[in-house]
Amino acid sequence: MESATLTVTDGLAVLTLNRPQAANALDLSLKTALLDGVRAIAADDSVRAVLIRAEGRNFCVGQDLGEHADALSTTPDRAMDTVAEHYNPLISGIAALEVPVVAAVQGACVGAGLGLALAADVVVAAESASFATAFTAIGLASDSGLTRTLVDAIGAVRTRAFILLGTKISAAQAQDWGLIAQVASDDEHAATAEAIARRLAGGPTAAFAAVKELVAASLPSLEDALERERVAAGPLAATADHRGAVEAFLAKRRPDFTGR
Ligand SMILES: CCCCCCCCCCCCC[C@H](O)CC(=O)SCCNC(=O)CCNC(=O)[C@H](O)C(C)(C)COP(=O)(O)OP(=O)(O)OC[C@H]1O[C@@H](n2cnc3c(N)ncnc32)[C@H](O)[C@@H]1OP(=O)(O)O
């Protein structure tokens, strides 16, 4: 089964996360397939809008921690290379798309999954969806551009508390904070997101590109945030807190943080 699928019809590219059996956790196969999909979209002049969606109960629960635990034990010095090889080019690739990008979110949208959703221009969430960063729960700080996209959306004060406290918020709270554009019923969110994406695919594409360029130019650099996050991830991956927290998650027990 393909970890992600891409279809393009009538100018709308639909990129689907397809690991529902693993809550769309980002393993190497899914990260690679998403990167390939975004690059194919960027190279396809027929695409006028993008919908990013996911199969199953959860949009994306972030990095696959089983794969991460393996990497930490077998290739510890390279475990965080995936940030530079996959996460950063994926987020910057989505953000660099000149056409409008809609994300349809249901269930858990966590960690790099949240980064993926916030790289889109319009997020439509099912009312039962939830949003969390999860990084500090496993001894990490942030990545996937969230130290810029979250600050842009909800401000530095809320972002700091959101990440430090590892809060999980509802779709209604996310909309109230200005984190997402729209909430729809669980039954209607997928159709609502697709209808918005199809409307954008039939709209003034050049004007939409200008809107995205003008708004991006008014903000601090996403690339700089991604690079700072990448540099910060390496030392954290080497901490006993990070490794112990990943093992604890997989063993379904609470981590014991020692501060080292
Ligand atoms: C050469 C190749 C090398 C490859 C290198 C790989 C190393 C990668 C380096 C990492 C880089 C940094 C990573 C980056 O920061 C991005 C991140 O995303 S960090 C954050 C990662 N995500 C999490 O920590 C979330 C963990 N999950 C949760 O907090 C909760 O599961 C939830 C998402 C809030 C949902 O909670 P619930 O609804 O209660 O559901 P469950 O907890 O019972 O989960 C259901 C089921 O799914 C499994 N699962 C959930 N999340 C993950 C996950 N991230 N990875 C793997 N599996 C996950 C969970 O275990 C349950 O499984 P089951 O018990 O039902 O089998």
Side-chain angles (χ1 to χ4, degrees):
M1 180 169 73
E2 290 175 290
S3 295
T5 62
L6 173 62
T7 60
V8 180
T9 52
D10 301 328
L12 177 63
V14 180
L15 183 61
T16 301
L17 286 78
N18 191 33
R19 280 194 85 209
Q21 73 285 2
N24 292 308
L26 294 161
D27 68 348
L28 188 58
S29 69
L30 178 50
K31 288 182 280 191
T32 304
L34 287 172
L35 254 179
D36 291 346
V38 170
R39 286 167 177 159
I41 291 167
D44 184 341
D45 292 339
S46 74
V47 173
R48 297 175 60 190
V50 181
L51 173 63
I52 298 175
R53 58 179 296 279
E55 293 295 347
R57 276 190 326 111
N58 296 295
F59 176 73
C60 176
V61 293
Q63 171 63 43
D64 186 309
L65 294 180
E67 179 186 79
H68 185 39
D70 293 345
L72 285 172
S73 59
T74 57
T75 55
D77 295 342
R78 292 204 58 241
M80 299 307 275
D81 288 359
T82 187
V83 176
E85 291 171 14
H86 306 105
Y87 286 110
N88 287 7
L90 177 59
I91 299 303
S92 56
I94 294 169
L97 292 173
E98 295 181 354
V99 297
V101 181
V102 179
V105 172
Q106 73 277 7
C109 180
V110 177
L114 179 58
L116 191 57
L118 296 191
D121 302 299
V122 178
V123 177
V124 180
E127 60 190 353
S128 63
S130 63
F131 298 83
T133 59
F135 299 116
T136 53
I138 58 168
L140 294 177
S142 182
D143 54 50
S144 314
L146 284 166
T147 50
R148 204 213 76 179
T149 53
L150 275 177
V151 173
D152 296 345
I154 64 177
V157 172
R158 255 196 190 133
T159 295
R160 214 169 12 242
F162 190 37
I163 299 177
L164 287 174
L165 301 176
T167 320
K168 181 165 83 170
I169 62 172
S170 67
Q173 180 74 74
Q175 185 179 37
D176 181 56
W177 279 8
L179 190 61
I180 62 175
Q182 194 162 336
V183 179
S185 70
D186 286 359
D187 295 339
E188 293 172 357
H189 106 276
T192 301
E194 182 170 345
I196 291 171
R198 290 204 179 282
R199 195 177 98 211
L200 291 168
T205 309
F208 291 158
V211 167
K212 291 188 62 166
E213 186 179 359
L214 289 168
V215 171
S218 73
L219 295 170
S221 161
L222 174 63
E223 296 304 317
D224 289 352
L226 287 166
E227 175 58 11
R228 285 192 299 269
E229 290 168 351
R230 183 193 67 81
V231 171
L236 296 177
T239 63
D241 277 349
H242 174 56
R243 292 161 186 244
V246 171
E247 288 164 13
F249 175 81
L250 296 172
K252 299 193 184 301
R253 55 177 167 77
R254 295 177 65 81
D256 174 24
F257 292 118
T258 63
R260 288 180 292 106

